[in-house]
Amino acid sequence: MLAYRIATKGEAPRLCEIDLPHPQVGQVRVAIKACGLNFADLLMQKGTYQDTPPAPFTQGMEVAGVVDAIGPGVAHLKAGDRIAVYAGQGGLAEYGVFDAERAIPLPDAVSFEEAAAIQIAYGTSHLALDHRARLQAGETLLVTGAAGGVGLTAVEIGKLMGATVIAQARGAEKLAVAKAAGADHLIDASEDLRTHVKELGGADVVYDAIGGDVFKAAFRATNPEGRLLPIGFAGGDVPQIPANHLLVKNLTVIGFYIGGYLTFRPQIVRDSFETLFRWCAEGRIKPHISHVLPLSETEKGLQLLRDRKATGKVVITP
């Protein structure tokens, strides 16, 4: 079978042919139909992602497909079942072997492409805004990088939760995408973020995927008792947070990493995914997928992420 693999730490990944894997105890083999690409995939190539597996490994974190074979000890799944798996690795291939306990059945109304686009991006936003930040209806949510794969879901879920959403993104095209997802107010990345947010009454919750100066500006535009979620650092600079300013405005900075919950509270992730798949089946959320590419064009898809030319998700279909 074909797989997109990092053979040696520090080497560029490549598409290669490997043996078909066989499921062991508690595992299932999946014929992979779709795999979502993530900024974390780029970090893994550099070895800088916190959960980079030891080489060699196949890239691809979020998977959707059909159960192809069952390992010993698996009773709740059968061959032919449509499932999604937040695997962390192994998704950019024609087949993959995954722990059966991570497999979540897919409603018939949810496509494989949608399932591959929902897990990390929507799961991150749903758990961050609901479980961690406790966003309330009527509050104001500021989302930076609002047209990216994760930021766009924060706009959509924030609106679904009853918040007024301020979206920041670069350029008219990306701002239009954020508006279509439900943003109430739009701020171009070239504009003064702090000034515009304060003119709109300030932010109660900040969902920041950029870091650096953008986080600093958002921090200064946060209302007293506001909550800030530093979700990612796409701008390349991890901001340093002045603790004395936290005291003055009674602010809370909230750490959140969805992968961490898989180790100490996996049921929270499972419950979130089941909710999101149900919302998708009901038409309450609609993943924005800007590109669907074959496995042979995986590098092209990752380059779209590097160049920030994707709006929403890039999905690979082996």
Side-chain angles (χ1 to χ4, degrees), residues 33-38 61-66 82-87 104-123 273 276-278 280-281 285-289 313-316:
K33 303 300 183 182
C35 178
L37 297 185
N38 293 275
M61 300 177 69
E62 50 188 339
V63 177
V66 177
R82 302 172 75 251
I83 63 168
V85 184
Y86 177 19
I104 299 176
L106 283 181
D108 290 340
V110 179
S111 71
F112 293 120
E113 291 83 358
E114 288 173 328
I118 282 174
Q119 296 171 66
I120 293 177
Y122 279 90
F273 287 174
L276 292 167
F277 291 146
R278 185 179 73 252
C280 183
I285 61 173
K286 179 67 176 177
H288 180 81
I289 302 171
K313 290 290 287 191
V314 177
V315 173
I316 302 298

Side-chain angles (χ1 to χ4, degrees), residues 14-32:
R14 64 184 182 88
L15 193 62
C16 56
E17 190 169 325
I18 62 172
D19 292 337
L20 187 70
H22 298 285
Q24 304 301 309
V25 175
Q27 295 182 326
V28 293
R29 186 172 67 204
V30 178
I32 298 170

